[in-house]
Amino acid sequence: MEALRIEILNQKALKFIRGLQELNLIKVSEEPETKAQIYLKKMRRNSKVAPSLVEINKIVKQVRSERYAKK
């Protein structure tokens, strides 16, 4: 079995995928959100300008390198 992540751009494609699921040709499962994703969504609702995941990762790497360099 192979798993794929698909982003649906058209609602007609979603109907087609649901039809394949009803025929037991495919299994559709929702990808659970991580705690970080839930937190980011919550913070972005309250902010006009929110950092992207790339920016957040860059800051985290910088802080970690500074922290571990002291030891």
Side-chain angles (χ1 to χ4, degrees):
M1 179 172 39
E2 188 174 343
L4 302 172
R5 182 172 187 261
I6 300 172
E7 187 174 334
I8 298 172
L9 303 176
N10 188 322
Q11 289 299 319
K12 291 180 183 179
L14 181 60
K15 289 179 184 179
F16 178 71
I17 290 172
R18 296 288 182 207
L20 292 174
Q21 184 180 12
E22 290 174 4
L23 294 171
N24 292 324
L25 296 174
I26 63 170
K27 178 183 175 186
V28 177
S29 58
E30 297 292 325
E31 189 175 299
E33 291 184 328
T34 64
K35 290 182 181 181
Q37 289 172 329
I38 294 168
Y39 180 74
L40 286 175
K41 281 185 181 180
K42 180 180 175 183
M43 295 304 291
R44 287 181 174 147
R45 274 184 271 161
N46 300 327
S47 176
K48 292 181 182 178
V49 179
S52 68
L53 287 176
V54 173
E55 294 170 326
I56 293 170
N57 284 332
K58 183 179 174 182
I59 294 168
V60 168
K61 286 180 182 179
Q62 179 184 358
V63 170
R64 285 180 179 165
S65 66
E66 290 173 3
R67 179 182 298 162
Y68 295 126
K70 291 179 182 178
K71 289 184 177 181

